[in-house]
Amino acid sequence: MRPGLPPDARQEPAPWRAARLLDAPHRLCFFAAGLNWAGAALWWSASLFATARGVAWPWQVNAASAHGLWFSLGAMPLFIAGFMFTAGPKWLRRPPVVARELRLPVAAFTLGWVITVAGFHLVPVVAAAGLAVVALGWGGLTWRIVRLVANSTQADRRHPRLIVLASSVIVACLGLSSLALLVNHAELLHVVLRVALWGGVCMVFLVVSHRLLPFLGAQLWPWLDTRWPDWPLWVVVSVPLTQCVSATLAPWPVALAAWRPIAAAHLAVVAALCLWIVLRWTRERALRQPLVAMLFAAFVWWDVALWLGAAAGLPGLRADAAAALELAALHTLTMGFLGGTLLVMATRVSSTHSGRPVAIDRVARGLFGLLQLALLLRLAAAL
C-alpha cells in the first residue's frame, strides 16, 4: 500500500483471473480482440521476416488479401462489440448487457479466425469455412446489438442505428468473403474487403467520434447548425459511402475511371472541412487534457488520409504514384485514425470500469507514441 491515500484507495488490485472476463462485456470482448490482434501482428511480422530472409512462406490465399482480412475484420469488430455493449445501454437507457450471454458468439468469432488463418496457408476452402464461422459469430453479436437498439424507447437513436447498419455490413462482407474464397474469386474478395473497412469499421468509428468527441460534435457553424443539424456527422459519413461506391466499381475499369475524379473531389472537399475543424480546435484549452489531445491527433490523421486519398485520384497521375498514395492513405486511415482512436477509447473504457482514477497514464501515452512512430515508418515505406 502507498501511504497518504485514503483507505478505499490503498487496496492493491486483485490478481487476474480468467473468470473476471465474464464480469463485464468489455472485458470479454476486449480480451478476445487483444488476443486476435496480437496473433495477427505476430503472424504478419513472421511473414515479413521470412520474406526478408528469403524463406519460403506458403500462401494459398493472396498475402495482401489475407493481411487485409485479418487486420480489418479480426480484432476491430470485437472492440466495437465491447464498446457498444458497454456504452450502448447507457445511450439507450437499457439494462446492462450480461457478459455470459456473449460467450458463444465471441468464441465462434475467435475460433473462426484460427481456422481461417490456417486455411490461408493450407487450402482456400478451409479459410472459407473459417470465415463462415466468423460471420456466424459476428452475426450473433450484431443481432444482440439490434435487439438492444430496437427495445429502447429513447427518442434519439440515430447513432446506434447507424452502428447497427455498419455492423450488418460487416456481417454481409464476412459472408461474401467466405464465398469469394470458396469460388476463388480474388476480385470479389478485394471489393468486399474495401466495403467492409469503409462501410463497416470506419463508419462505426466516425459515428462514435461524432457522439463523443467535442471537436467533431460541438457547435461549429451556427448558421448551418440551425438549418442542417448534425451536419459534421453527415459530412464525414459521406466518405465511407463514396468509397464503397469506388470499391464496387473496381471490376469495371471504364466506370471506375469516370468515377475517380468525382470521388477525389469529394475527398478534397471533406478534407478541407475537416482541416477547418482541426485549425479551429488548435486554440481550445481542452487539448491540454491528454485524452482529448490523443483523440484529436487521431482525427488529424483522418484528415491526412483524406488528403492523400484525394491526391491519389488526381488526373494524369502515374499509376505507380497513385498506388503509393492509396497505400499511404489506407495505412493513415487504419493505423492513424482507427488505431489511435481505438487505443484511447478502449483504454478509457477499461480504466473507467475498473475503478482506475487515471485513464491515460504513462503506459497509454507511451503506446500512443509508439503507434505514431510505427505509422510514420509505414508511410515512409509506402511513399
Side-chain angles (χ1 to χ4, degrees):
M1 289 189 236
R2 290 174 295 171
L5 294 178
D8 58 346
R10 295 181 186 176
Q11 296 180 358
E12 297 292 338
W16 186 87
R17 293 181 294 108
R20 296 191 66 197
L21 296 177
L22 300 179
D23 288 350
H26 76 276
R27 289 179 181 268
L28 175 64
C29 294
F30 286 4
F31 181 79
L35 290 179
N36 209 312
W37 212 337
L42 292 172
W43 164 77
W44 189 244
S45 297
S47 170
L48 294 177
F49 182 76
T51 302
R53 300 291 295 177
V55 178
W57 190 268
W59 289 103
Q60 299 300 321
V61 175
N62 177 268
S65 298
H67 166 75
L69 275 171
W70 202 6
F71 273 82
S72 298
L73 300 177
M76 286 295 192
L78 287 178
F79 280 117
I80 292 171
F83 179 85
M84 191 59 190
F85 290 129
T86 302
K90 298 178 181 178
W91 293 356
L92 299 166
R93 296 182 181 177
R94 295 293 301 162
V97 175
V98 179
R100 290 182 177 275
E101 297 178 356
L102 309 178
R103 289 178 299 176
L104 183 58
V106 169
F109 187 93
T110 305
L111 176 62
W113 276 113
V114 173
I115 300 171
T116 300
V117 175
F120 288 158
H121 304 289
L122 297 177
V123 59
V125 69
V126 174
L131 278 178
V133 177
V134 173
L136 287 174
W138 180 243
L141 292 171
T142 298
W143 175 243
R144 285 164 173 79
I145 297 176
V146 170
R147 288 171 53 193
L148 182 67
V149 176
N151 292 333
S152 173
T153 57
Q154 186 77 355
D156 182 9
R157 287 181 285 175
R158 63 193 186 284
H159 293 97
R161 283 171 174 166
L162 286 173
I163 292 174
V164 166
L165 176 62
S167 300
S168 302
V169 169
I170 295 175
V171 174
C173 288
L174 284 169
L176 287 173
S177 298
S178 174
L179 178 62
L181 288 176
L182 188 63
V183 299
N184 196 25
H185 199 311
E187 187 63 34
L188 175 60
L189 185 60
H190 178 69
V191 170
V192 170
L193 182 55
R194 289 186 59 191
V195 171
L197 177 62
W198 282 104
V201 175
C202 189
M203 177 75 81
V204 171
F205 275 69
L206 290 171
V207 170
V208 172
S209 295
H210 177 262
R211 185 177 181 99
L212 298 180
L213 305 188
F215 45 82
L216 189 54
Q219 297 293 316
L220 297 171
W221 198 344
W223 179 85
L224 187 58
D225 292 332
T226 57
R227 291 161 176 79
W228 189 15
D230 295 330
W231 66 268
L233 171 65
W234 306 117
V235 167
V236 294
V237 161
S238 67
V239 174
L241 298 179
T242 56
Q243 292 303 301
C244 286
V245 173
S246 299
T248 54
L249 291 178
W252 296 277
V254 176
L256 180 61
W259 171 256
R260 281 178 67 89
I262 300 174
H266 173 259
L267 286 177
V269 170
V270 177
L273 287 170
C274 290
L275 179 60
W276 172 66
I277 295 174
V278 167
L279 295 176
R280 176 184 180 274
W281 261 85
T282 53
R283 301 185 297 270
E284 295 292 335
R285 297 182 63 182
L287 289 182
R288 298 177 184 177
Q289 303 174 25
L291 186 143
V292 177
M294 291 161 70
L295 289 173
F296 181 76
F299 184 75
V300 171
W301 283 122
W302 157 259
D303 193 44
V304 173
L306 297 184
W307 285 117
L308 289 170
L314 289 174
L317 196 65
R318 294 200 323 268
D320 58 341
L325 287 169
E326 286 182 350
L327 188 62
L330 174 65
H331 286 89
T332 304
L333 172 75
T334 53
M335 296 176 66
F337 173 60
L338 299 181
T341 302
L342 173 60
L343 190 153
V344 180
M345 288 291 193
T347 300
R348 188 184 188 283
V349 169
S350 300
S351 299
T352 300
H353 290 269
S354 299
R356 295 176 60 117
V358 179
I360 305 301
D361 54 11
R362 290 183 180 179
V363 174
R365 288 194 293 268
L367 291 174
F368 192 81
L370 284 175
L371 178 62
Q372 309 312 300
L373 176 61
L375 173 56
L376 291 174
L377 291 174
R378 188 62 188 88
L379 292 181
L383 296 174

